[in-house]
Amino acid sequence: MDAAPFHAGEVAVQARLGVAERMDEIGRRVVRDHMPEQHQRFYEQLPLMLAGSVDPTGRPWATMLVGQPGFVQAPDAWHLTFAAQPIPGDPAAAGMTPGAPLGLLGIELHTRRRNRVNGELEVVGPEGLRLHVSQTVGNCPQYIQGREVEWVRDAADTRPRAIERIDDLDGDAAWLIAAADTLFVATHAGAAGADVSHRGGPAGFVVQEDERTLLIPDYSGNRMYMTLGNLQLDGRAGLLFIDFERGDLLTLTGRADIVWDGPALTALDNAERAWRFHLDEGWWLRDALPLRWRFRDWAPQNR
């Protein structure tokens, strides 16, 4: 890339942590405005992609687009099409309109492969979605737990069997969070667009501080700090927890504060920093996914 690969929020975090010059050099090689051939083919064989959208009030939501392999197509290096619709009742759908930013993450849990692509929606209609790509980058396999996936019903059947609004993280929500070893986070930074990212750790790596507050560790990664950079510019985030055995989605939106140091970090093994999430609104989408996953093995970082 000839242009600077990172926006002001990302550069501010990198500078605070002493890696801005080095990441500018690396970013110009690995952050692209198009999809390499191997990324295009990778997306086309996936049964799902994670997505991060921004609703009309500016709140990020993380979600999933699902279809039989081949439902994603890359007609060229600058476009992706999706023969799929948002999950019915999913609040993320409100942000999937023509001209809206959309962050996407292609991930294969059984191979621990993942790649990120962000852009702007050009078409949203009954046939699906079309994205114009503005930024792509490959991600490392760290902290991804190995899971094998299988279909349990038709790929087009993403109708939740129940939809429930939640205002507090108690009951089933608290149970799912306490057991979680994986989550996905959506953020955005105004004109810089939307983004969705993976976070993983040992079971219980997310700490629930009270009925509306979570503490999420930030482990060593690729030093790009795309999520933290977005939070520097707009301190809102959307979280997605998946019940891999039941096909449930717990989707949350709220505000996030970066925890750079202090006593809160002492309870988080191996965390370099953390961020504290404050719930504004959440939804259960019960049995929304036509997929299930079987746990295979821990990421090497969590063994």
Side-chain angles (χ1 to χ4, degrees):
M1 291 184 70
D2 295 326
F6 301 109
H7 63 61
E10 294 162 335
V11 172
V13 175
Q14 293 166 5
R16 177 174 184 142
L17 299 173
V19 298
E21 184 175 345
R22 175 63 175 153
M23 293 315 301
D24 182 76
E25 176 188 340
I26 293 173
R28 290 176 189 275
R29 298 199 304 268
V30 303
V31 180
R32 307 174 178 90
D33 63 357
H34 65 281
M35 295 176 291
E37 177 76 15
Q38 62 173 323
H39 288 200
Q40 297 174 50
R41 304 291 82 82
F42 173 65
Y43 297 139
E44 290 177 341
Q45 52 89 45
L46 293 175
L48 62 92
M49 285 188 75
L50 279 299
S53 69
V54 184
D55 73 17
T57 67
R59 301 180 303 174
W61 296 91
T63 189
M64 187 181 289
L65 297 170
V66 178
Q68 284 287 349
F71 88 103
V72 182
Q73 290 291 309
D76 56 51
W78 293 272
H79 293 90
L80 280 176
T81 64
F82 300 85
Q85 295 293 324
I87 294 169
D90 190 336
M96 296 186 192
T97 57
L102 191 70
L104 292 158
L105 178 71
I107 189 168
E108 249 182 2
L109 298 184
H110 67 283
T111 64
R112 298 190 170 94
R113 186 179 175 193
R114 57 175 163 163
N115 293 306
R116 199 187 217 129
V117 54
N118 301 333
E120 183 178 290
L121 285 168
E122 291 183 332
V123 176
V124 179
E127 301 302 315
L129 314 175
R130 178 180 172 93
L131 182 86
H132 182 269
V133 171
S134 59
Q135 185 187 71
T136 73
V137 64
N139 284 160
C140 69
Q142 290 192 96
Y143 297 101
I144 299 176
Q145 324 309 338
R147 283 185 163 90
E148 305 291 344
V149 65
E150 65 177 1
W151 294 96
V152 295
R153 60 176 184 263
D154 187 87
D157 185 359
T158 59
R159 176 184 57 83
R161 276 34 184 182
I163 300 174
E164 306 162 20
R165 175 169 174 151
I166 64 169
D167 297 308
D168 299 303
L169 301 174
D170 54 13
D172 285 353
W175 173 86
L176 183 61
I177 291 166
D181 57 50
T182 301
L183 66 84
F184 298 92
V185 52
T187 55
H188 72 108
D195 181 76
V196 66
S197 182
H198 165 276
R199 290 292 186 274
F205 78 111
V206 176
V207 176
Q208 183 165 347
E209 295 186 319
D210 62 40
E211 62 184 8
R212 299 181 67 84
T213 308
L214 303 175
L215 185 66
I216 299 156
D218 195 67
Y219 301 123
S220 175
N222 58 23
R223 307 296 183 192
M224 294 184 187
Y225 301 118
M226 290 178 166
T227 296
L228 296 186
N230 284 353
L231 293 178
Q232 281 285 106
L233 299 185
D234 188 307
R236 289 177 286 186
L239 302 185
L240 181 69
F241 292 90
I242 301 171
D243 187 325
F244 292 106
E245 296 180 357
R246 296 175 177 82
D248 293 1
L249 298 177
L250 174 63
T251 182
L252 314 173
T253 196
R255 295 157 290 112
D257 307 310
I258 301 173
V259 180
W260 297 105
D261 49 35
L265 293 183
T266 59
L268 303 175
D269 290 343
N270 302 317
E272 295 187 339
R273 63 205 63 82
W275 38 283
R276 185 172 277 115
F277 175 83
H278 309 274
L279 175 68
D280 287 337
E281 184 180 326
W283 293 86
W284 270 107
L285 306 175
R286 303 277 190 178
D287 192 9
L289 300 178
L291 296 162
R292 300 291 186 270
W293 288 261
R294 178 178 57 81
F295 184 87
R296 188 189 68 204
D297 56 7
W298 292 103
Q301 298 77 22
N302 295 329
R303 290 174 184 161

